[in-house]
């Protein structure tokens, strides 16, 4: 009897013990899970949540802006700045100089930094926004402001004039930097970083130019030239949709998805212009039109002498990479001895175009694209254009890429041969050299193979460009970005592969 | 009878307990699911005030304390990245653990140990606030408040003696407040040399450890014991002021200190080209070492000479003999206008053997592009003699001296005396009425020292060091530091201005050995100056 009751009691006790244990397990488990849930939800509080928790005692120092403020980061940055500036100076010099060379306007023979120091005012990060626009990518927008006191002295050499040091003063940069992280399932989890400046709001880079020990008037128009150069570099290299792709070492990944690719082509027919402004003292203006999507790929029409209502009827094809944000820019110039004068400029956003439907438009010319700079409201005439946008399919895209690459290489060769003074020269019928003053004599290739008139075959031969230079410039820029962004160790940056810029450049191909 | 029945009763109880435990185990624990469910997260708005009340202790620090900055963007970033990070970490952990396990198994006669599941769960760590401290030292200090309440599922299956057991870790929670210090700061990316991590308080660790389905941590008392054990262990290792040091880059390398001296003797040039219209060229040589900020050095101009002999010597400090090179360019001097380049060449320092003089005859080239056809033209030769002398080990400044440790005074210091070192780091917000070209002037026992002038700058950085050798500790002495500005233009009007001054009592330095502080300047609006003082004794 004792045995059975003992066993029975024991069993009940044992089971009860187990049940108790299990209860304990459950209890502790639910408590932990509840805590995890709480922490998760408290980690992403919004205003309403906080109102609900705090009620009347809502802390006044808290606000919820779209761009979150990062005071602590700024504090750290200002402390770190002298060291960052020191380290960055060398890298910037290395990476930007080839770019300057590439984008140097005709009329300037050499453009180099003779002094570069970033000053001792650290940039401010006004806010950071993180979002996920695409699966597997994190998009970080950084509101970046820098009103620094850098000392940047450019050594500018123009034809026939000795080197003039030009100082960039009172530099101010206001821009939103977009950094896209491509995620991967391997440490360090980020396979590539894409850096670009958001085009909306437009990056603002202000500075004043001052000649050191000389006058800016020594080379006429030099201020504008430098402005244009800086502007072109930024819009063509960094401003969205253009971007710098930096693969991060360690993981072999296909970054071609991230690169900018030709998306479509635009056939533009510049029909005519009406009521142009007369810029000449004697007679009338000699107008020609220049059109581009990217500053490196400009095409221009013939010059129509002595006419304020010129008819060109010339067709060009331009390549677009991003229909959403890019625009066609039309400019009308007056051909003149020396510097050509701009009669007007106008912009046609590609987003207004429908694919494969021709559109004819008459656009009013403006003195400048920047609405803030427009002083006079005088009528500058209008330009009539026909535009047809065609979206590429896969094969066309590839061939366009090839074409572009070849085009740039040819242009580079020509540049070396001295036919065009700079890659920034626009191409026109007679391959005339805008102000570079270097003859085609002795180069042999020059022989007037008009692109528009003589056909693409020879045309491509004529127009070359520093594709390699762009590539190397980019790779250096890439290296630079790699160093700053990855920041793992200085050794690592060495492995950063050069940015493949082939896909990055859209091409302009004049046609018959 | 009663005795036997009681004994039986006890035996039965014993048997009963064990069988009861087994039945209970199977009934209540074994058939429990072992997978980890994602916690159900209800939005805050749906909750009643009672549950909200329970959450209050967990409220993020940035809500409670205004000195903590919110880092929601970082949390969001981490959240988006977490799935990838989770997979990456687990993969790495598995790869690291595998060889270790394989090595250890035979010792314990275990057949196999393997991860059955390994995931860190869906909940990322969150930063509940970030605080940074600004000190006068070359360091960055930040204190994030880290809370990781995760739902990981780590199951390890162990097979031994034909039996299989599983150990499962669930519901890991780690709350910690680390202090991350980046120092010293160096002028090379990523701009700091070491990361120091230490914990400001004992971390909170909680988890469930299921052995064959039963959570050991639920045994009353055991959890507390284990948690306490872990906390003390971790605290022993990393609780402030103990730190975990992670070296990022060698600071001595980042500073790029000089490692040697290069003597260059420009001997002569031969067969130079005629560049001037009338007469021969007027050649001179420009020398420069790459990656150096100093302006290039020039020889004298030899007028009207196509085979000039200079025999002039120059010295360069070398920072990196692997990558640096000497650039030599011959120019034609002109009275008016631009000096023409007659040719150039570059000698990488790699090509030179240390301590050995080498005479090189260099062909002058148009540029360094090997493919350029214009280089085939003869432009003459340049004869140069090089000697590269690397500093010997003992000459080298001792790797990298920590700014915290005060160095010893030099040997010949008199007994009882020492070396007073004044390092003028920087000033802020100094402003003159007419001009602001500040420099600091130090007056000590009648001796005057000056820093270099910084032109047009309200926040000058000098980083200059001055030393005073003293017979006895300067206990009753004062140091007078004055910030002055001199007009950049030569003129009688406003030649010199005082932007502010400060008198520092030196007795503190003697007792503290080292002081690094910012002082408010007297006779200045908001001016401050950062001065480091060291008292080095033998």
């Amino acid at each position: 009897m004792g045995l059975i009751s003992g066993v029975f009691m024991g069993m009940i006790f044992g089971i009860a013990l187990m049940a108790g244990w299990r209860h304990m397990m459950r209890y502790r488990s639910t408590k932990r899970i509840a805590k995890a849930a709480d922490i998760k939800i408290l980690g992403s509080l919004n205003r309403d949540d906080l109102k609900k928790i705090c009620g009347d005692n809502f802390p006044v120092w808290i606000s919820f802006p779209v761009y979150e403020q990062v005071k602590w980061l700024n504090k750290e940055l200002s402390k770190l700045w002298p060291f960052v500036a020191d380290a960055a100076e060398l890298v910037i010099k290395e990476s930007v100089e080839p770019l300057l060379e590439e984008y140097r306007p005709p009329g300037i023979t050499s453009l180099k930094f003779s002094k570069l120091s970033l000053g001792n005012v650290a940039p401010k990060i006004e806010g950071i926004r993180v979002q996920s626009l695409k699966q597997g990518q994190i998009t970080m927008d950084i509101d970046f402001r820098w009103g620094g006191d850098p000392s940047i002295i450019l050594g500018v050499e123009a034809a026939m004039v000795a080197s003039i040091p030009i100082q960039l003063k009172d530099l101010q940069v206001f821009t939103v930097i977009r950094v896209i992280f491509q995620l991967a399932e391997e440490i360090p989890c980020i396979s590539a970083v894409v850096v670009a400046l958001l085009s909306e709001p437009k990056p603002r880079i202000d500075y004043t130019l001052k000649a050191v020990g000389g006058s800016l008037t020594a080379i006429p128009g030099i201020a504008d030239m430098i402005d244009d150069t800086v502007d072109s570099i930024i819009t063509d290299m960094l401003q969205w949709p253009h971007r710098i792709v930096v693969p991060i070492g360690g993981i072999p990944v296909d970054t071609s998805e991230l690169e900018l690719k030709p998306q479509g082509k635009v056939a533009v027919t510049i029909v005519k212009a009406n009521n142009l402004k007369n810029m000449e003292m004697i007679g009338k203006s000699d107008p020609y039109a220049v059109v581009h999507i990217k500053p490196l790929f400009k095409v221009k029409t013939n010059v129509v002498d002595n006419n304020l209502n010129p008819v060109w009827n010339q067709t060009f094809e331009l390549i677009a990479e991003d229909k959403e944000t890019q625009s066609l820019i039309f400019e009308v110039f007056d051909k003149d001895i020396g510097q050509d004068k701009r009669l007007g400029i106008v912009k046609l956003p590609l987003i207004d175009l429908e694919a494969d439907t021709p559109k004819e438009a008459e656009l009013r010319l403006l003195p400048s694209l920047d609405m803030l700079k427009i002083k006079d409201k005088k009528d500058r005439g209008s330009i009539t254009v026909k535009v047809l946008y065609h979206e590429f399919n896969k094969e066309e895209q590839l061939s366009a890429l090839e074409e572009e690459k070849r085009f740039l290489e040819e242009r580079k060769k020509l540049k070396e041969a001295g036919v065009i003074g700079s890659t920034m020269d626009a191409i026109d019928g007679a391959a005339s050299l805008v102000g570079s003053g270097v003859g085609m004599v002795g180069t042999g290739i020059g022989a007037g193979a008009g692109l528009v008139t003589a056909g693409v075959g020879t045309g491509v031969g004529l127009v070359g460009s520093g594709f390699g230079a762009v590539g190397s410039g980019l790779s250096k820029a890439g290296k630079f970005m790699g160093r700053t962004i990855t920041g793992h160790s200085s050794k690592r940056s060495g492995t950063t592969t050069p940015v493949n810029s082939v896909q990055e450049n859209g091409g302009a191909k004049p046609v018959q | 009878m009663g005795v036997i029945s009681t004994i039986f009763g006890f035996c039965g109880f014993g048997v009963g307990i064990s069988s009861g435990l087994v039945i209970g185990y199977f009934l209540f624990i074994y058939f429990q699911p072992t997978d980890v469910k994602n916690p159900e997260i209800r939005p805050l708005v749906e909750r009643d005030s009672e549950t909200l009340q329970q959450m209050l202790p967990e409220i993020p620090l940035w809500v409670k304390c205004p000195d903590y900055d919110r880092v929601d963007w970082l949390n969001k970033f981490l959240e988006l990245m977490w799935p990838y990070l989770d997979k990456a970490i687990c993969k790495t952990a598995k790869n690291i653990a595998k060889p270790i396990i394989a090595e250890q198994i035979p010792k314990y006669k275990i057949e196999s140990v393997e991860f059955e599941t390994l995931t860190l769960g869906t909940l990322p760590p969150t930063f509940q606030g970030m605080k940074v401290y600004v000190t006068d030292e070359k360091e960055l200090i930040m204190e994030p408040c880290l809370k990781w309440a995760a739902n990981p599922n780590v199951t390890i299956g162990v097979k031994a003696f034909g039996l299989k057991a599983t150990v499962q870790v669930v519901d890991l929670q780690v709350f910690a407040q680390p202090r991350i210090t980046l120092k010293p700061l160096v002028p090379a990316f990523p701009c700091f040399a070491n990361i120091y991590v230490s914990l400001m308080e004992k971390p909170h660790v909680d988890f469930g450890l299921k052995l064959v389905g039963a959570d050991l941590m639920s045994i009353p008392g055991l959890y507390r014991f284990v948690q306490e054990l872990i906390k003390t262990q971790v605290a022993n290792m990393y609780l402030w002021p103990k730190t975990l040091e992670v070296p990022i880059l060698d600071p001595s390398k980042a500073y790029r200190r000089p490692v040697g001296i290069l003597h260059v003797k420009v001997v002569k040039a031969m067969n130079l080209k005629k560049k001037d219209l009338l007469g021969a060229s007027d050649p001179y040589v420009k020398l420069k070492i790459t990656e150096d900020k100093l302006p290039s050095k020039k020889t004298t101009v030899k007028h009207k000479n196509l085979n000039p002999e200079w025999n002039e010597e120059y010295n360069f400090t070398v920072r990196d003999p692997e990558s640096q090179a000497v650039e030599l360019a011959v120019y034609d001097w002109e009275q008016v206008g631009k000096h023409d380049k007659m040719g150039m060449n570059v000698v990488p320092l790699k090509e030179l053997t240390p301590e050995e003089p080498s005479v090189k005859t260099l062909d002058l080239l148009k540029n360094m592009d090997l493919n350029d056809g214009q280089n085939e033209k003869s432009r003459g030769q340049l004869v140069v003699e090089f000697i590269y002398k690397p500093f010997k080990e003992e000459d080298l400044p001792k790797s990298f001296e920590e700014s915290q440790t005060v160095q010893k005074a030099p040997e010949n210091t008199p007994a009882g005396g020492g070396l007073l070192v004044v390092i003028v780091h920087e000033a802020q917000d100094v402003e003159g009425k007419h001009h602001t070209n500040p420099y600091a002037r130090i007056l000590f026992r009648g001796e005057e020292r000056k820093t270099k002038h910084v032109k047009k700058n309200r926040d000058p950085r000098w980083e200059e060091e001055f030393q005073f050798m003293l017979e006895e500790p300067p206990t009753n002495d004062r140091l007078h530091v004055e910030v002055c500005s001199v007009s950049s233009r030569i003129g009688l009007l406003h030649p010199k201005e005082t932007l502010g001054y400060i008198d520092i009592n030196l007795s503190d330095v003697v007792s503290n050995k080292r002081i690094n502080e910012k002082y408010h300047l007297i006779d200045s609006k908001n001016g401050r100056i950062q001065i480091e003082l060291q008292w080095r004794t033998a």
Side-chain angles (χ1 to χ4, degrees):
Chain A
M1 203 54 211
L3 180 76
I4 296 166
S5 68
V7 168
F8 185 67
M9 290 288 281
M11 259 166 83
I12 289 181
F13 189 74
I15 292 172
L17 213 63
M18 251 9 204
W21 192 3
R22 185 201 165 199
H23 178 74
M24 198 65 190
M25 265 169 77
R26 277 259 175 102
Y27 169 70
R28 284 185 31 85
S29 173
T30 41
K31 219 172 93 176
R32 277 195 303 254
I33 290 170
K35 202 167 180 180
D38 285 358
I39 282 171
K40 159 85 185 160
I41 196 107
L42 286 168
S44 51
L45 282 176
N46 59 30
R47 196 178 173 82
D48 292 336
D49 294 340
L50 208 56
K51 264 263 158 63
K52 179 143 190 182
I53 295 174
C54 299
D56 294 337
N57 303 320
F58 190 80
V60 283
W61 60 84
I62 291 170
S63 60
F64 290 84
V66 180
Y67 280 89
E68 199 182 319
Q69 291 210 332
V70 280
K71 279 180 227 147
W72 62 278
L73 210 61
N74 284 323
K75 267 187 213 162
E76 302 285 53
L77 196 62
S78 60
K79 178 102 194 185
L80 199 61
W81 180 246
F83 302 94
V84 177
D86 258 13
E89 274 159 23
L90 211 82
V91 188
I92 289 179
K93 213 169 163 170
E94 251 179 37
S95 56
V96 178
E97 240 167 28
L99 280 180
L100 282 178
E101 184 61 20
E102 182 67 21
Y103 283 84
R104 139 176 85 80
I108 294 179
T109 49
S110 153
L111 194 59
K112 281 204 168 71
F113 286 116
S114 52
K115 192 185 165 199
L116 176 78
S117 95
L118 293 177
N120 46 14
V121 180
K124 281 253 154 24
I125 294 172
E126 207 54 36
I128 292 184
R129 174 175 67 172
V130 173
Q131 47 191 345
S132 182
L133 299 177
K134 224 183 194 178
Q135 185 65 34
Q137 282 184 355
I138 301 176
T139 308
M140 190 155 109
D141 293 339
I142 303 168
D143 190 350
F144 180 89
R145 292 177 194 187
W146 189 34
D149 59 341
S151 162
I152 300 171
I153 297 179
L154 288 169
V156 180
E157 274 176 44
M160 317 310 288
V161 188
S163 170
I164 335 168
I166 288 187
Q167 193 183 9
L168 254 71
K169 278 186 77 177
D170 308 329
L171 182 75
Q172 288 193 319
V173 181
F174 301 88
T175 178
V176 179
I177 302 172
R178 168 160 284 185
V179 186
I180 302 175
F181 299 89
Q182 177 73 39
L183 299 173
E185 286 177 5
E186 298 259 351
I187 298 262
C189 284
I190 295 168
S191 59
V193 179
V194 178
V195 186
L197 304 182
L198 271 196
S199 52
E200 203 56 49
K202 201 171 164 20
R204 229 185 84 201
I205 297 177
D206 293 342
Y207 48 86
T208 45
L209 291 172
K210 203 184 136 197
V212 183
S215 161
L216 267 184
T217 45
I219 307 176
I222 189 144
D224 287 339
M225 278 184 199
I226 291 174
D227 281 352
D228 278 353
T229 312
V230 172
D231 200 48
S232 308
I233 291 180
I234 288 160
T235 44
D236 210 30
M237 280 287 153
L238 283 173
Q239 194 175 321
W240 190 262
H242 305 285
R243 71 276 307 262
I244 291 175
V245 181
V246 187
I248 287 179
I251 323 163
V253 277
D254 182 26
T255 51
S256 60
E257 276 295 298
L258 301 171
E259 308 268 3
L260 197 59
K261 275 180 294 218
Q263 204 181 56
K265 70 176 174 197
V266 193
V268 195
T269 312
I270 302 182
V271 184
K272 56 173 183 179
N274 287 323
N275 302 324
L276 291 176
K277 211 172 140 190
N278 194 0
M279 286 291 213
E280 306 256 331
M281 303 274 266
I282 309 154
K284 295 187 182 116
S285 297
D286 311 321
Y288 66 89
V290 175
V291 58
H292 72 264
I293 292 177
K294 299 174 42 154
L296 210 53
F297 298 90
K298 285 185 180 169
V299 281
K300 65 187 192 185
T301 64
N302 294 329
V303 180
V304 178
D305 280 343
N306 225 3
N307 198 337
L308 291 182
N309 298 299
V311 179
W312 292 292
N313 257 331
Q314 277 179 287
T315 305
F316 306 97
E317 271 183 16
L318 293 167
I319 285 167
E321 284 98 0
D322 191 61
K323 192 172 177 258
E324 313 294 309
T325 55
Q326 284 183 317
S327 337
L328 276 166
I329 314 253
F330 299 94
E331 287 170 282
V332 182
F333 285 95
D334 169 27
K335 177 85 190 149
D336 215 338
I337 304 154
Q339 201 78 40
D340 294 356
K341 290 191 198 86
R342 186 154 81 190
L343 299 175
I345 184 166
V346 71
K347 175 164 106 171
L348 179 67
L350 293 182
I351 195 141
D352 294 351
L353 303 175
E354 266 175 61
D356 295 316
T357 36
K359 179 178 173 172
E360 186 166 344
E362 189 177 339
L363 307 162
R364 269 176 48 106
L365 290 168
L366 303 165
S368 163
L369 279 181
D370 189 351
M371 291 317 248
L372 289 172
K373 276 190 193 160
I374 298 175
K375 281 182 222 135
D376 55 343
K377 294 268 182 321
K378 260 185 278 174
D379 191 34
R380 290 177 161 259
S382 64
I383 184 167
T384 310
V385 290
K386 276 190 210 154
V387 188
L388 174 67
Y389 178 76
H390 170 71
E391 198 133 327
F392 281 144
N393 56 29
K394 270 263 146 57
E395 287 134 44
E396 282 174 317
Q397 200 170 52
L398 280 176
S399 65
L401 262 178
E402 286 296 308
E403 186 78 24
E404 208 176 282
K405 198 167 148 186
R406 216 175 59 224
F407 172 81
L408 279 166
E409 255 160 26
E410 295 291 343
R411 204 155 140 184
K412 184 192 176 193
K413 267 186 212 151
L414 266 197
K415 185 189 171 192
E416 277 168 4
V419 175
I420 39 176
S422 153
T423 15
M424 286 299 290
D425 279 357
I427 314 122
D428 75 324
S432 77
L433 317 175
V434 188
S436 69
V438 195
M440 323 180 237
V441 196
T443 54
I445 348 167
L451 282 193
V452 183
T453 49
V456 187
T458 41
V460 172
L462 186 74
V463 219
S465 162
F467 190 77
V470 177
S472 71
L474 260 181
S475 79
K476 274 188 182 155
K479 208 156 81 188
F480 164 47
M481 300 316 292
R483 276 191 206 168
T484 40
I485 292 168
T486 59
H488 286 298
S489 70
S490 61
K491 286 282 158 264
R492 185 160 215 141
S493 62
T495 60
T496 311
T497 39
V499 184
N500 180 12
S501 57
V502 177
Q503 287 95 333
E504 281 214 46
N505 291 281
K509 180 178 58 136
V511 292
Q512 202 107 16
Chain B
M1 212 38 206
V3 179
I4 299 166
S5 123
T6 319
I7 292 170
F8 269 127
F10 272 113
C11 294
F13 192 72
V15 175
I17 274 194
S18 33
S19 55
L21 284 176
V22 172
I23 294 169
Y25 170 76
F26 277 99
L27 213 59
F28 293 115
I29 295 169
Y30 189 73
F31 295 109
Q32 290 286 310
T34 53
D35 57 325
V36 175
K37 280 190 227 92
N38 280 345
E40 184 193 345
I41 294 166
R42 283 189 301 143
L44 261 176
V45 193
E46 288 175 13
R47 308 218 179 168
D48 50 40
S49 51
E50 201 178 314
T51 49
L52 282 180
Q53 207 63 38
Q54 286 172 359
M55 287 170 77
L56 283 185
E58 304 301 332
I59 207 160
L61 273 176
W62 57 265
V63 183
K64 287 189 276 190
C65 314
D67 58 342
Y68 274 92
D69 275 326
R70 188 148 50 112
V71 281
D72 281 0
W73 63 275
L74 203 65
N75 287 333
K76 198 161 177 197
F77 193 95
L78 214 56
E79 193 182 325
L80 293 169
M81 199 163 146
W82 186 247
Y84 297 88
L85 209 59
D86 174 28
K87 277 181 193 149
I89 292 174
C90 291
K91 214 180 200 170
T92 328
K94 266 185 193 170
N95 290 343
I96 292 173
K98 235 177 209 161
I100 299 175
I101 291 171
E103 198 181 303
Q104 296 289 332
I105 280 178
K107 283 187 202 163
Y108 301 101
K109 294 186 179 148
I110 299 171
E111 282 163 39
S112 78
V113 174
E114 60 185 21
F115 288 104
E116 285 180 3
T117 52
L118 177 61
T119 156
L120 296 179
T122 49
L123 300 176
T126 52
F127 290 102
Q128 303 234 318
M130 174 76 93
K131 191 150 84 170
V132 297
Y133 296 93
V134 177
T135 63
D136 291 334
E137 308 299 331
K138 281 184 184 172
E139 61 184 11
L140 299 181
I141 302 174
M142 49 187 139
E143 271 184 36
C145 174
L146 180 80
K147 283 196 178 175
W148 187 32
N151 50 348
N153 185 4
V154 183
T155 316
I156 302 169
V158 183
K159 269 191 202 162
F161 310 112
L163 292 170
K164 192 184 162 214
T166 54
V167 182
Q168 189 184 19
V169 178
V170 287
D171 301 338
L172 178 69
Q173 301 193 338
V174 180
F175 302 164
Q177 201 163 352
R179 166 176 289 182
I180 300 168
T181 312
L182 310 179
K183 72 175 178 186
L185 304 180
V186 291
F189 287 119
C191 293
F192 50 86
N194 287 314
I195 302 178
Y196 296 88
V197 183
S198 62
L199 298 169
M200 294 319 285
E201 35 188 77
K202 280 188 180 178
H204 164 84
V205 182
D206 192 357
F207 56 91
L209 182 70
K210 286 186 178 172
L211 185 68
V212 209
D215 188 357
L216 291 181
M217 290 298 123
S218 306
I219 297 170
L222 184 67
Y223 153 68
R224 215 165 288 268
F225 171 72
V226 171
Q227 205 196 30
E228 206 49 47
L229 193 75
I230 294 174
K231 274 188 188 176
T232 9
Q233 279 301 320
V234 175
N236 268 340
M237 285 154 75
Y238 303 123
L239 196 64
W240 198 84
K242 292 197 178 76
T243 53
L244 168 74
E245 187 182 332
V246 186
I248 299 293
L249 79 165
D250 185 10
S252 57
K253 211 160 206 172
Y255 269 107
R256 295 176 60 86
R257 303 200 168 216
V259 293
I261 282 189
L262 178 74
H263 303 277
V264 182
K265 186 175 174 189
V266 182
V267 184
K268 58 176 179 182
M270 294 161 301
N271 308 323
L272 294 176
K273 282 276 155 280
K274 188 167 136 19
K275 283 267 179 187
D276 289 356
L277 283 172
L278 301 166
S281 303
D282 311 317
Y284 69 95
V285 183
K286 254 192 192 176
L287 301 103
K288 192 176 175 5
I289 190 152
T290 50
E291 293 172 42
D292 205 357
K293 284 178 181 167
L294 296 171
S296 46
K297 298 178 180 183
K298 288 177 199 170
T299 64
T300 50
V301 180
K302 300 283 175 202
H303 291 286
K304 307 233 154 77
N305 197 341
L306 289 181
N307 296 299
E309 284 194 25
W310 287 286
N311 282 322
E312 289 172 34
E313 277 189 56
Y314 300 91
N315 293 331
F316 295 97
T317 48
V318 175
R319 284 161 209 277
D320 183 9
E322 283 303 305
S323 70
Q324 283 187 302
V326 187
E327 280 176 21
L328 299 135
V330 183
Y331 282 85
D332 174 26
W333 179 86
E334 299 276 343
Q335 186 88 49
V336 192
K338 212 175 127 193
H339 296 191
D340 292 324
K341 197 169 170 182
M342 301 171 69
M344 63 162 323
N345 210 328
V346 175
V347 181
L349 297 188
K350 277 189 289 199
E351 291 177 7
L352 306 173
T353 4
E355 307 284 358
E356 234 171 70
S358 63
V359 180
K360 286 188 187 254
T361 310
L362 306 165
D363 284 323
L364 292 173
L365 305 170
K366 168 110 194 268
N367 51 33
M368 288 317 289
D369 188 355
L370 286 174
N371 303 320
D372 199 327
Q374 283 171 301
N375 280 336
E376 282 165 25
K377 220 164 41 170
S378 162
R379 293 166 184 275
Q381 281 99 37
L382 186 67
V383 181
V384 193
E385 191 182 312
F386 296 99
I387 312 174
Y388 171 55
K389 287 185 178 162
F391 291 135
K392 299 202 180 64
E393 281 303 311
E394 52 264 36
D395 299 347
L396 273 175
K398 282 283 166 284
S399 60
F400 178 77
E401 76 249 10
E402 278 279 315
S403 50
Q404 279 182 354
T405 52
V406 177
Q407 293 162 297
K408 286 266 156 47
E411 302 248 320
N412 51 1
T413 317
L419 195 66
L420 178 72
V421 180
V422 181
I423 304 169
V424 185
H425 286 290
E426 57 176 14
Q428 287 164 344
D429 272 340
V430 288
E431 192 178 2
K433 258 189 203 130
H434 306 284
H435 43 77
T436 312
N437 307 319
Y439 69 93
R441 200 173 136 244
I442 297 166
L443 263 174
F444 177 68
R445 286 187 180 168
E447 253 183 278
E448 191 191 28
R449 306 279 176 90
K450 282 177 188 173
T451 65
K452 61 177 186 289
H453 296 234
V454 179
K455 268 189 191 166
K456 287 194 188 164
N457 202 328
R458 292 165 51 92
D459 309 301
R461 280 179 79 86
W462 295 289
E463 303 288 353
E464 279 184 59
E465 192 180 304
F466 304 97
Q467 298 188 338
F468 300 93
M469 182 69 78
L470 304 176
E471 302 274 317
E472 60 203 37
T475 329
N476 298 317
D477 278 298
R478 282 182 314 162
L479 182 79
H480 179 84
V481 182
E482 204 173 279
V483 182
C484 304
S485 167
V486 181
S487 174
S488 48
R489 264 170 269 144
I490 305 159
L492 295 172
L493 213 61
H494 324 300
K496 191 182 164 187
E497 242 182 90
T498 306
L499 309 183
Y501 69 92
I502 178 78
D503 283 326
I504 304 167
N505 238 325
L506 292 176
S507 56
D508 285 348
V509 187
V510 177
S511 52
N512 285 306
K513 302 286 183 210
R514 176 180 182 273
I515 289 184
N516 181 12
E517 257 169 86
K518 276 199 180 101
Y519 300 90
H520 284 275
L521 289 166
I522 303 170
D523 282 350
S524 165
K525 231 187 214 165
N526 295 316
R528 272 163 301 157
I529 186 164
Q530 187 187 343
I531 293 175
E532 183 177 334
L533 296 162
Q534 291 179 10
W535 173 243
R536 297 179 190 167
T537 46

